[in-house]
Amino acid sequence: MEASHAVDDTLHERPVDILRSLIRFETVNPPGNERPCIEWIGEVFETYGIEYKTYTKDPDRPNIIARIPGGNDPPVLLYGHVDVVPVTDQEWTHDPFEAVIDDGMVWGRGALDMKDGVAMFLANFLRIATEDEPLASDLVFLAVSDEEAGGEFGLEFLVEEHPELFDDIGFAIGEFGGYPMEVAGETFYPIQVNEKQVCWLEATFTGNSGHASLPTVDTAMGKLGRFLAAVDEHRLPVHLTPTVESMIEALAEGLDEDEGDRLLELLDPGKTDAVLEELPFDARVLDAVTHNTANPTIVSGGDKENVVPEAVRVRIDCRLVPGQTPDDVITELQTVAGDDADFEVVRFDEGPPPASLEHFDLLADVLESATGKTAIPFMMYGATDARHLAQVGVESYGFIPLNMEDIPLLDILHSGDERVPVDSVAWGTERVYEALRTYAG
Ligand SMILES: [Zn+2]
């Protein structure tokens, strides 16, 4: 491995070198082991003469924050996570932690999620620190551990134990968005402005038990089976939010009139599901953002072949539309699948309130003038650290600009051969700079 994590005071001109250095720290979560990577960022700050602080819940999993003074507008927070998902059982053309450049691309785990973003944010932070003209506001940089496993050692810890760090922040820039996404054959640039909420349930079914040599009716297994079949066959009810309305309206504007009109029909709750069935492209994202979803993922119960178990359980990964609660989705599941189950909420991460879109136009203009494509406010169907920032009243925008229209980004996120074009990283770094220089609160 090329071990060089060389640091000098021109690093801000080379975001790709920053990215490659970050990838070479093996920060697979679990266990994360982010400390060497975070310490390297500290070394960069020392080289630039920038003061920083680290905050840790676990000494091996620190978080680092720094601030450059600017004008009196509300400060902008650039934030990202340095942990990555595992690489086991995946096909990789190049070692995922070598950050090889091949075919014009940097290959490695985290190239897209999201060491590319951390590199862009850090390069801009350093660049602005070296420039004579201050920004209209303070600029804050934060790199955290543990996003991929929920943020217990990262942003969740920071907002719970050090909320004062976020007291004056105007808005935040992080993941997910800024890259091309194809809808109905057209290219759009989504900017995450809101996200769904994680809600994990456990459903327990009880029934007649006994020796498995005798016929047994009304069993826990039978109830579980009927429940799983019902959940598999039905969508939960439609829930439209202002964010999703804005998202679908922006998509419709970017399409030709017929396609656009068909998409707008999604906004009629009586038609949403029928339209989803007919759309001639993969519409799972639109499906996800207009419904609570429930995917059974882990079944447990029974431990002996000849004993009919009294109780069996299934874990269900539900993702809730903003504003929905665990009780709401339990009621929806009972409507779809009957009331045989006893539900327990295993985990609920309350998400952000509906997006204000206050800074969407600023970021959208940057992307639209550079690409000629339409930027759309995006409701993320997964969860990001933005939900933790929402707990301290900070609104987050997903803006990691990449103009990589030929590479199926969503197919290689969290997969083998995660990679990012070298040119795109440089391009995205410039777009972040434009946004920061354009902002005045
Ligand atoms: Zn990520």
Side-chain angles (χ1 to χ4, degrees), residues 81 113-114 147-148 175 414:
H81 62 89
D113 184 11
M114 62 168 283
E147 190 270 350
E148 297 289 358
E175 62 183 352
H414 291 202

Side-chain angles (χ1 to χ4, degrees), residues 45-110:
F45 286 148
E46 280 160 27
T47 305
Y48 277 77
I50 296 170
E51 279 180 39
Y52 64 89
K53 281 192 172 164
T54 56
Y55 294 86
T56 61
K57 179 171 181 174
D58 172 336
D60 286 327
R61 313 199 64 186
N63 307 283
I64 186 166
I65 189 163
R67 179 181 286 243
I68 310 167
N72 293 327
D73 287 330
V76 181
L77 169 66
L78 301 173
Y79 77 107
H81 62 89
V82 299
D83 62 316
V84 294
V85 294
V87 296
T88 34
D89 297 326
Q90 294 177 348
E91 296 269 335
W92 282 85
T93 307
H94 299 288
D95 183 301
F97 303 104
E98 273 191 32
V100 169
I101 292 186
D102 180 26
D103 197 22
M105 289 181 278
V106 180
W107 299 64
R109 175 55 84 227

Side-chain angles (χ1 to χ4, degrees), residues 18 22 29 31 61 78 84 88-89 98 145 147 200 223-224 267 275 299 325 353 369 410 416 419:
I18 298 177
L22 294 173
N29 184 8
R61 313 199 64 186
L78 301 173
V84 294
T88 34
D89 297 326
E98 273 191 32
S145 295
E147 190 270 350
W200 292 347
K223 291 173 185 175
L224 169 67
L267 299 178
V275 176
V299 167
T325 66
S369 45
L410 291 177
R419 61 198 186 277

